[in-house]
Amino acid sequence: MRFFNRINLHTPESVELEFSLAGIGNRALALLIDYHVVALSLLGFSILWIFLSTQLMSYLLQREGDFSAVPPWLLAVFILGTFAIYAGYFIGFEVYRQGQTPGKRFAKIRVIRDDGRPIGLTQAALRSLLRPIDDFFFIGALFILFGKREKRIGDWVAGTIVVQETGRRAKPSLALSDRTQQLVAHLPTLANLRNLHPDDLAVIREYLDRRKDLTRKARHDLSLTLACQVRSRIQLEAIPDGLTSDEFLEAVYLAVVQA
């Protein structure tokens, strides 16, 4: 069984990133934790719903009128609330926590798109809505076990994969030159950093984190390509003279992080 498969992904910026797939064991552990959290949330919601419904019906029975339509509406609220908690748990965490639910965070795995970028609302929603199908008779587990990219049905439809956390998601360790530090200070006034999307910043971070593993030529070509695309995105007329593409990317990353 391929618990430690590695996969190479090519980003839209032509940067090649390598990841280790999460494996069925880590995913099962994460799902077990998440389902316990969801179950506790549903239990709390059920208790609250029973209490409020009982109070409401007691109040209505003391008044004149036909309130026979109220119980079906209360049941509808319960069903919608249950669905919102179940689906919203996975959607909310995966979108706002960069592909990690509490269970995935504990298991040190993460959901990303097929091109290495962080997932968005559409991908998270598709994965969550198709989760019951994957759970039915462990269909998703079979897809993960026997699929080359270890994807369940929700991953295939959403265009996502689940990878092991590298443990290097924090700010990369950078030895800044004086020129880079000067650009970090002045870049917010020279360029429109708000045009840089979170996906773009994630690609820059991944490159800075993994560039030591690249050959000299590959590192030069990738950094130059990425620097040109970033310069265009933030509407900077030109990369300052005497600054390498690596130094420029370092300055952009730190300028955005420190903003």
Side-chain angles (χ1 to χ4, degrees), residues 66-258:
D66 182 12
F67 301 106
S68 59
V70 174
W73 278 105
L74 290 175
L75 179 60
V77 170
F78 177 77
I79 294 174
L80 289 175
T82 300
F83 173 78
I85 292 173
Y86 175 81
Y89 172 85
F90 292 98
I91 295 174
F93 276 109
E94 289 182 355
V95 171
Y96 294 106
R97 293 294 182 180
Q98 296 185 335
Q100 284 191 314
T101 59
K104 290 184 177 67
R105 184 177 180 84
F106 180 85
K108 297 181 180 180
I109 61 178
R110 180 184 302 273
V111 185
I112 60 175
R113 300 188 200 183
D114 284 339
D115 58 8
R117 294 183 297 166
I119 69 170
L121 179 60
T122 301
Q123 292 78 29
L126 288 172
R127 296 185 83 256
S128 181
L129 293 176
L130 290 171
R131 187 175 297 277
I133 298 177
D134 282 310
D135 290 345
F136 186 71
F137 285 122
F138 303 102
I139 293 176
L142 293 177
F143 271 81
I144 295 171
L145 280 172
F146 297 106
K148 185 177 181 180
R149 297 173 66 117
E150 300 181 359
K151 288 170 168 254
R152 63 178 177 86
I153 296 175
D155 289 317
W156 283 111
V157 175
T160 58
I161 58 173
V162 182
V163 299
Q164 294 184 17
E165 180 60 71
T166 62
R168 297 184 296 178
R169 306 300 299 186
K171 183 169 62 178
S173 178
L174 304 175
L176 301 180
S177 65
D178 292 338
R179 295 173 302 183
T180 304
Q181 292 175 351
Q182 292 176 1
L183 183 58
V184 171
H186 294 93
L187 200 55
T189 60
L190 298 175
N192 189 355
L193 297 179
R194 289 178 296 179
N195 284 349
L196 205 63
H197 298 163
D199 290 352
D200 302 321
L201 190 64
V203 170
I204 297 174
R205 178 183 57 209
E206 290 290 351
Y207 167 74
L208 295 176
D209 225 13
R210 300 171 185 268
R211 55 185 169 176
K212 292 181 180 180
D213 300 328
L214 301 174
T215 63
R216 180 177 299 180
K217 184 178 185 306
R219 176 173 173 174
H220 174 268
D221 293 342
L222 289 175
S223 65
L224 185 60
T225 300
L226 187 56
C228 290
Q229 293 174 343
V230 171
R231 180 196 62 78
S232 176
R233 173 80 65 158
I234 63 177
Q235 299 175 334
L236 184 67
E237 292 185 1
I239 297 176
D241 294 334
L243 210 66
T244 67
S245 53
D246 266 28
E247 290 174 330
F248 172 70
L249 292 173
E250 291 172 352
V252 171
Y253 178 81
L254 290 180
V256 174
V257 170
Q258 296 175 4

